[in-house]
Amino acid sequence: MMPKHIQYVTVFFLATLLWSCEGNRTAENTEEITVDTTEQDTAQVVRSGRTVDDRLESLRGWMNEKVEQGDSSIQREWPDVKDDFRRRTAEIDQNLDSLSVESKAEYARLKQRYERWENRQERRQDTPLDVQELQQWQEQLLREFEDVDSISPQNVREAYLTFMGVVRAKRQNWTQNDWDYVDHVYGLLNQRRRQIEGEMSNSDKLKVRALQAEYLSLEGAADAKSLMQNMRN
């Protein structure tokens, strides 16, 4: 039988060894948790960070979305729309010097575009469009596509071409009031396009975007011309 003093030494040795192993496991586990937490925090910072260029891109998308909405939808959320625009531009203005020359020029164009659009929206709220006259404009601008709900993914490109053909031919004689009706029809056409966009071909999507850009350019030129005339009067 093993002497008692040897038994005590053996038990003490085994206990020490077990404590040491457990301590190593605890240290290893603690180190892994620390690394994981750091990586998660870093990922959250990266995800939440937004540069001023990101905010400019977001403003561009926001503008396109709002301009394409119908009048009734915009009127319901009009105070929030104005507040949202001012918040977005204030965030960009805080870091305006970080933008490139090209981005600053685009930012200026977006603000001018918004100002024209806001003026038109407020004018419409003060003087709503006449329903019968709107129907006449819709027929004149869209012709065989005047029933907007019947426009399909197969002919939406032709609907935009028809609309822009009339705009190119007749815009020189339009008053600011006329442009309000034209812009409303344009909004209806855009709403229908959004409903069927998932079924449109890529080539049709590209062509429609080009036609939309042309329309916004012509509309902007008309607004600038009207502003100059008002300043002279």
Side-chain angles (χ1 to χ4, degrees), residues 6 20 65 69 99 103 133 140 175 185 195:
I6 295 178
S20 175
E65 176 189 346
Q69 286 185 12
L99 290 175
S103 293
E133 188 172 354
Q140 176 186 347
T175 66
V185 175
Q195 293 171 352

Side-chain angles (χ1 to χ4, degrees), residues 127-233:
T127 309
L129 300 179
D130 181 77
V131 176
Q132 289 185 344
E133 188 172 354
L134 178 59
Q135 182 59 44
Q136 293 172 359
W137 276 98
Q138 195 164 327
E139 181 179 354
Q140 176 186 347
L141 290 163
L142 296 177
R143 296 178 183 173
E144 67 267 31
F145 304 105
E146 65 173 305
D147 182 7
V148 176
D149 291 336
S150 68
I151 295 175
S152 68
Q154 290 71 38
N155 62 22
V156 64
R157 174 176 179 155
E158 290 303 316
Y160 272 93
L161 286 169
T162 299
F163 174 83
M164 283 307 303
V166 179
V167 172
R168 295 185 195 113
K170 303 195 176 231
R171 71 183 190 278
Q172 298 293 349
N173 297 322
W174 286 342
T175 66
Q176 192 63 58
N177 185 65
D178 292 337
W179 275 103
D180 287 349
Y181 284 93
V182 175
D183 196 56
H184 183 88
V185 175
Y186 175 71
L188 295 176
L189 187 56
N190 284 330
Q191 287 184 73
R192 180 56 180 167
R193 189 266 307 162
R194 285 201 305 273
Q195 293 171 352
I196 60 177
E197 189 169 23
E199 304 173 61
M200 292 170 57
S201 68
N202 289 333
S203 61
D204 283 351
K205 289 179 183 178
L206 290 174
K207 181 60 177 180
V208 166
R209 286 174 192 157
L211 293 169
Q212 288 174 318
E214 181 185 359
Y215 173 78
L216 293 174
S217 176
L218 295 177
E219 180 194 37
D223 284 339
K225 179 181 177 182
S226 177
L227 179 61
M228 291 297 295
Q229 291 176 342
N230 291 336
M231 290 175 63
R232 292 194 188 104
N233 296 335

Side-chain angles (χ1 to χ4, degrees), residues 48-109:
S48 62
R50 296 183 66 193
T51 66
V52 65
D53 287 293
D54 292 335
R55 296 185 187 281
L56 179 60
E57 182 178 354
S58 177
L59 178 64
R60 184 192 312 120
W62 180 88
M63 272 294 303
N64 290 336
E65 176 189 346
K66 296 304 177 186
V67 168
E68 290 186 7
Q69 286 185 12
D71 286 350
S72 58
S73 175
I74 286 295
Q75 288 173 10
R76 285 195 300 269
E77 56 184 81
W78 186 237
D80 293 334
V81 170
K82 290 168 50 171
D83 289 342
D84 197 7
F85 175 79
R86 280 148 184 74
R87 177 185 59 78
R88 289 171 179 273
T89 53
E91 291 172 347
I92 295 175
D93 290 339
Q94 289 176 356
N95 298 284
L96 188 60
D97 292 339
S98 301
L99 290 175
S100 65
V101 174
E102 293 79 7
S103 293
K104 286 180 180 178
E106 181 186 4
Y107 180 46
R109 289 193 298 270

Side-chain angles (χ1 to χ4, degrees), residues 14-15 61 118:
L14 291 173
E118 181 181 277

